[in-house]
Amino acid sequence: MANPYPAPPAGRSAPKWARKRFVIPGVGLVFFIGVAVGLSDDGSTTTKAAAKEARPTATVTATATKTIKPKPAPTVTKTVKATKTVKVTVTPRPQPAAGSDDTDTGSGSGSGSSDTGSSTAYYGNCTEARAAGAAPIHRGQPGYGRHLDRDGDGVGCDT
């Protein structure tokens, strides 16, 4: 079996670790000489700067700013007058018996087309209720329906 490692070149007389014996102490010596020179400084350059007394000075800064006034945009006013006739259908319903409990509990299917059983009028939307002069409609009044009460506070067509 042959040796898998190549033979070292013949030109080197000392291995790499032997060179470290000289380089590392040399770098350490240069470092300590630099520290010694820094500590032996007499500080004459810093004392001159420290000898001056700090005094407040006034600094004036002038800034020129050009103010641009935007031109107003042209105003376009268009008046449209429209009249719409709304037909309201009022459907009379028989009154429930005095002992029956036919109130809206709020647990319906949410289709929005149901109203309480105690109403004698029906409004498909708030426009019809306003045209009939019934808006706002409170819960329990004829014509009130959950589909007219968007926020569920018991007042239909309140806005």
Side-chain angles (χ1 to χ4, degrees):
M1 180 167 185
N3 186 1
Y5 301 105
R12 283 192 202 163
S13 61
K16 281 187 175 182
W17 62 269
R19 281 186 264 162
K20 291 179 186 176
R21 285 190 300 182
F22 298 110
V23 174
I24 291 176
V27 170
L29 180 65
V30 171
F31 175 74
F32 285 121
I33 291 173
V35 169
V37 170
L39 291 177
S40 67
D41 191 15
D42 62 353
S44 61
T45 58
T46 58
T47 57
K48 289 181 183 177
K52 291 185 179 181
E53 201 173 297
R55 292 185 215 143
T57 58
T59 304
V60 178
T61 304
T63 305
T65 305
K66 184 178 179 183
T67 305
I68 300 174
K69 287 188 173 183
K71 294 180 181 178
T75 305
V76 178
T77 306
K78 185 177 180 183
T79 305
V80 178
K81 198 170 196 178
T83 305
K84 185 176 181 182
T85 305
V86 178
K87 184 178 179 183
V88 178
T89 306
V90 178
T91 316
R93 296 191 183 170
Q95 293 292 333
S100 70
D101 186 20
D102 197 16
T103 59
D104 186 14
T105 60
S107 62
S109 63
S111 64
S113 63
S114 65
D115 60 324
T116 60
S118 64
S119 62
T120 59
Y122 175 79
Y123 303 107
N125 54 31
C126 287
T127 306
E128 292 178 7
R130 286 187 191 100
I137 307 169
H138 296 277
R139 185 179 290 142
Q141 289 182 337
Y144 175 82
R146 283 194 340 232
H147 65 283
L148 301 174
D149 189 6
R150 288 189 287 172
D151 53 1
D153 64 349
V155 180
C157 301
D158 52 348
T159 55

